[in-house]
């Protein structure tokens, strides 16, 4: 920590020694005093986006104060530093760019990647990487995907105890197919159609090889890659280094934890509960695969997209969809007809289509199941398949609900209900923390299932599907321990005894170094 970054917490004697008297007011503030003052400033901002910009500046100027503030006010600030507000920051990334935070690996530098990463002096524990082709529900934003990488790493540090000085946001620039960005003179990325096909994968091979060479024990999280690439990249690299795809596996883990919690409250076993997943892309297939593992088979998991039930006669059937493809005579119905046919106990939305769960669809769920589990997970808020008040109104308040975006509490029959947010922050920080603490060699399906069970082991208030967001730090530690133990059992990490001391050693606390 650079002493000058302490700002008004820098002791007066140290200011004199460094020759920086006069550059700040006289008072020596404690970190808690700084936090309270900055919180008042953030609260006074006129819009969530203005708050986001102020917090991003604080993150650059004084990371200790930034993370101390975020940890003390996480429920309020989580949607500001990440979704949904980060979406606008990604869309305006080039206009807002003032100085570099992270690395941009361009297609034009494909033969010099080793040299570029060797120039990074810091040691790195966690990297979040994106090519910006499918950012949230906003589409291809090119290098605007960097905002997602920065935001996710902020959560790794705020919720998962990863030292921010040992993280690296990394954006892969292979062009963009967004016509607005291609014509925008202010866009700072490569203004050309995206590299695709074998050339794309050859480039990604070079990127991953350069990362592995520079930081062989790094945790590498893939984020916001298009569905056509996401599963392929996961399969391609998951055995080469400690990596996972949060859109596929992180989303699947936290959604599965919600499903298990909901079915437990409803008194139904997963193996007896049909699940209908609306959206058959990488996220939907990831959730389907994890639920199938937990249930002991794929028979009860149905995939549905814009063409109806995913069936085996499709020429475009992906490898991830194949285990869930139905016979031809089971498909091509509307969503409403499919619900009446399948009679699901669980309805999950990862379609990106706002309002897709109409009142009629939600009423049908209430008719076919006494206490349905309904998860409209698409982000940002406008892309949610349904809002909490719509879900509870249509089901007589009986549905067990979690949403992808944050929603305010809803009053149902005079009762104030808090809306559980099915946020990946309950899972990925703990996965990264556990893998870093014990230097796991890869992240296996078993480790991910261990994370699901760790989240599901938390006691919940009736009607809630996840612990309060204030507890995500505790959840991260529990997930980390479960992940670490599973890694050892599977021969993917070498340590003896309880991993808790290793996790404690890895956990970073925001504090200033004492002046010497």
């Amino acid at each position: 920590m650079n002493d000058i970054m302490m700002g008004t917490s820098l002791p007066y004697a140290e200011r004199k020694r460094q020759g920086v008297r006069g550059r700040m007011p006289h008072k020596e503030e404690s970190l808690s005093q700084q936090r309270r003052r900055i919180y008042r400033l953030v609260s006074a901002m006129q819009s969530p986006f203005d708050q986001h910009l102020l917090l991003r500046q604080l993150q650059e100027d004084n990371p200790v104060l930034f993370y101390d503030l975020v940890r003390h006010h996480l429920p309020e600030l989580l949607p500001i530093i990440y979704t949904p507000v980060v979406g606008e920051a990604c869309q305006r990334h080039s206009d807002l760019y003032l100085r570099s935070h992270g690395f941009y690996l361009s297609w034009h530098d494909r033969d010099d990647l080793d040299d570029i990463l060797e120039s990074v002096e810091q040691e790195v524990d966690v990297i979040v990487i994106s090519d910006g082709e499918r950012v949230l529900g906003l589409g291809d934003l090119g290098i605007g995907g960097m905002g997602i990488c920065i935001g996710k790493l902020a959560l790794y540090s705020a919720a998962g105890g990863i030292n921010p000085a040992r993280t690296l946001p990394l954006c892969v620039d292979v062009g963009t197919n967004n016509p607005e960005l291609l014509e925008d003179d202010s866009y700072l990325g490569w203004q050309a159609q995206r590299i695709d096909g074998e050339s794309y994968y050859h480039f990604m091979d070079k990127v991953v090889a350069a990362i592995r060479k520079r930081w062989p024990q790094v945790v590498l999280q893939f984020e916001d890659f298009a569905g056509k690439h996401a599963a392929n990249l996961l399969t391609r690299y998951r055995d080469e280094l400690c990596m996972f795809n949060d859109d596929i596996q992180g989303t699947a883990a936290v959604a599965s934890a919600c499903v298990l919690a909901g079915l437990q409250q409803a008194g139904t076993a997963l193996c007896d509960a049909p699940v209908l997943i609306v959206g058959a892309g990488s996220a939907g297939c990831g959730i389907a695969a994890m639920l199938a593992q937990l249930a002991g088979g794929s028979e009860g998991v149905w995939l549905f997209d814009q063409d109806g039930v995913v069936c085996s006669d499709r020429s475009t059937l992906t490898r991830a969809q194949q285990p869930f493809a139905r016979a031809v005579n089971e498909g091509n119905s509307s969503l409403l007809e499919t619900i009446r046919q399948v009679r699901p106990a669980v309805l999950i939305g990862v379609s990106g289509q706002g309002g897709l769960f109409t009142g009629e669809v939600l009423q049908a769920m209430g008719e076919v199941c006494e206490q349905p589990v309904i998860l409209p997970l698409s982000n940002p808020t406008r892309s949610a398949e349904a809002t909490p008040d719509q879900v509870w109104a249509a089901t007589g308040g009986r549905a067990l609900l979690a949403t992808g975006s944050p929603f305010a509490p809803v009053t149902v029959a005079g009762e104030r209900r808090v809306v559980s947010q099915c946020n990946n922050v309950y899972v990925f920080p703990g996965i990264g923390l556990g893998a870093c603490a014990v230097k796991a060699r890869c992240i296996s399906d078993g480790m991910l299932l261990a994370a699901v069970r760790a989240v599901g082991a938390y006691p919940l208030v009736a009607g809630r599907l996840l612990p309060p967001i204030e507890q995500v730090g505790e959840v991260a530690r529990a997930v980390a321990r479960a992940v670490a133990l599973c890694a050892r059992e599977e021969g993917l990490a070498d340590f003896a005894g309880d991993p808790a001391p290793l996790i404690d050693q890895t956990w970073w606390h925001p504090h200033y170094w004492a002046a010497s």
Side-chain angles (χ1 to χ4, degrees), residues 277-301:
I277 301 173
V278 183
S282 58
C285 290
I287 295 170
M290 188 162 287
L291 288 174
Q293 290 182 71
L294 291 164
S298 60
E299 296 78 9
V301 181

Side-chain angles (χ1 to χ4, degrees), residues 368-448:
V368 303
C369 183
E370 177 63 25
Q371 203 169 14
V373 178
I374 300 178
L375 310 179
L377 300 183
S378 292
N379 283 313
T381 308
R382 65 173 179 273
S383 297
E385 288 80 6
T387 62
D389 55 343
Q390 291 168 342
V391 171
W392 281 321
T395 61
R398 291 179 284 114
L400 294 158
L401 170 73
T403 59
S405 293
F407 282 91
V410 176
T411 300
V412 180
E415 173 195 8
R416 182 179 182 271
R417 294 190 183 179
V418 175
V419 181
S420 295
Q421 186 187 357
C422 186
N423 192 314
N424 293 20
V425 75
Y426 284 98
V427 175
F428 71 81
I431 294 173
L433 175 63
C436 287
V438 301
K439 297 179 171 52
R441 288 180 280 278
C442 71
I443 295 173
S444 67
D445 287 342
M447 292 160 69
L448 294 167

Side-chain angles (χ1 to χ4, degrees), residues 81-131:
I81 62 175
Y82 198 61
T83 183
V85 181
V86 73
E88 184 177 353
C90 291
Q91 291 175 306
R92 299 173 59 184
H93 181 74
S94 292
D95 290 334
L96 300 172
Y97 182 88
L98 294 175
R99 57 177 169 172
S100 181
H101 185 110
F103 265 63
Y104 299 82
L105 298 184
S106 169
W107 164 261
H108 295 276
D109 296 321
R110 59 192 178 277
D111 294 327
D112 301 307
L113 297 178
D114 285 346
D115 291 340
I116 291 172
L117 294 188
E118 284 296 331
S119 72
V120 184
E121 297 179 357
Q122 72 191 86
E123 289 305 311
V124 174
D125 292 328
V126 180
I127 292 173
V128 175
I129 183 173
S130 179
D131 71 355

